[in-house]
Amino acid sequence: MTPEQTAQASRDAVLELGGAYAECPRTLRRARQLGLSGWAFYVAGRGGALGDVRPDTVAAALGFIAPEAVADGWDGARRVLPPTEVAAVHLAECCRWGVEQLGGFPRVERLVDLTQRVVLAADASALPLFAAWRAMPVPDDNLGAQAAVLLHLLREHRAGAHLLAVRASGLSPVEAIISGPEGEAGAVAWGWQPPYPGVGPLLRRRVWAEAVTDRIVSSAYATLTVEERIELLGLLDSARKGLRPPGSEPALATSD
């Protein structure tokens, strides 16, 4: 199990576990309590780690969301709260989700140990959003909360690496979305307007971009031994299978 194979094999679990808190009904309810739409909370929640910057700066860092959609969410949030405060609430919701979903995971301490080593080993060059999130202090020392934040950081690291790989392949962000598994539905969801480019000519570049993403991400996994990489993949798979459906009662955390 090479670092590059680990990056590829962990992709789906990292994307799911690292982003699940943002779709949690309780997270969306928290947005409403702040007077924000779910979209404004998402955009400012992620981008707010960069500080109170211009919308085009946030759009450049997020990459795969249409700039006009970023501006709508960013400006809508700024009329209610500073983006840094929205990001702090977003981080707190990530911790809350982690306590509920991962606090009772039997091997959460080991999951934190391995993912933390990967996150700290990751090179943040040209990955401003990942660097900004990694620099934010985690407000909860519960192991479930720590695990959730680290998984979110792994997701941001891969997302930033994928944006670099996509641009290096010659694809635009919308071309990358169109040629991916979500297709036109994904383009619509991220604010891109038709007409959309044809998929056929883009597929080879998309495959190349995925391989380059794995190559960029793999340097962080090189900090682990072969045995630890295999162990981490098993932990991620177990944690993913153990997620409770939205609306179910959270188990009591067994680690702190």
Side-chain angles (χ1 to χ4, degrees):
M1 179 63 66
T2 67
E4 199 163 326
Q5 288 171 329
T6 306
Q8 193 281 328
S10 65
R11 173 185 178 273
D12 290 347
V14 164
L15 293 179
E16 180 177 346
L17 290 167
Y21 80 94
E23 300 176 4
C24 173
R26 290 189 62 185
T27 300
L28 299 176
R29 185 160 62 246
R30 181 62 177 140
R32 292 193 296 271
Q33 290 170 349
L34 293 173
L36 299 174
S37 68
W39 180 249
F41 190 55
Y42 176 78
V43 171
R46 280 188 69 199
L50 298 168
D52 193 1
V53 298
R54 293 172 57 88
D56 53 354
T57 302
V58 183
L62 294 175
F64 293 105
I65 305 176
E68 296 82 3
V70 172
D72 286 345
W74 187 256
D75 291 339
R78 287 183 76 247
R79 287 192 288 269
V80 179
L81 284 174
T84 52
E85 292 186 22
V86 181
V89 177
H90 221 250
L91 181 59
E93 285 301 303
C94 180
C95 290
R96 186 269 312 157
W97 179 90
V99 172
E100 294 178 358
Q101 289 281 357
L102 301 173
F105 181 54
R107 301 194 62 203
V108 65
E109 185 172 5
R110 184 59 170 163
L111 179 63
V112 168
D113 174 41
L114 294 178
T115 53
Q116 184 174 56
R117 286 164 57 192
V118 175
V119 165
L120 293 177
D123 184 353
S125 301
L127 304 175
L129 202 56
F130 167 70
W133 270 98
R134 188 169 63 176
M136 290 184 67
V138 180
D140 193 330
D141 60 3
N142 179 279
L143 285 174
Q146 298 283 328
V149 173
L150 290 164
L151 290 165
H152 172 64
L153 286 169
L154 288 180
R155 180 185 171 96
E156 288 290 4
H157 183 241
R158 184 172 185 96
H162 189 53
L163 181 58
L164 287 177
V166 162
R167 301 305 289 126
S169 74
L171 291 172
S172 68
V174 69
E175 287 175 335
I177 296 170
I178 287 293
S179 58
E182 295 180 335
E184 290 191 4
V188 171
W190 296 117
W192 299 98
Q193 300 298 315
Y196 301 121
V199 173
L202 308 176
L203 293 177
R204 183 172 295 181
R205 290 184 180 182
R206 167 78 189 204
V207 171
W208 185 88
E210 288 286 357
V212 172
T213 302
D214 292 335
R215 197 168 304 130
I216 295 171
V217 171
S218 69
S219 62
Y221 290 100
T223 194
L224 303 179
T225 65
V226 172
E227 292 76 16
E228 288 172 335
R229 291 175 213 141
I230 295 171
E231 182 184 8
L232 177 57
L233 290 175
L235 290 172
L236 292 172
D237 185 58
S238 296
R240 186 183 183 191
K241 291 177 179 177
L243 292 182
R244 289 175 297 280
S248 62
E249 288 296 322
L252 293 176
T254 59
S255 302
D256 50 37

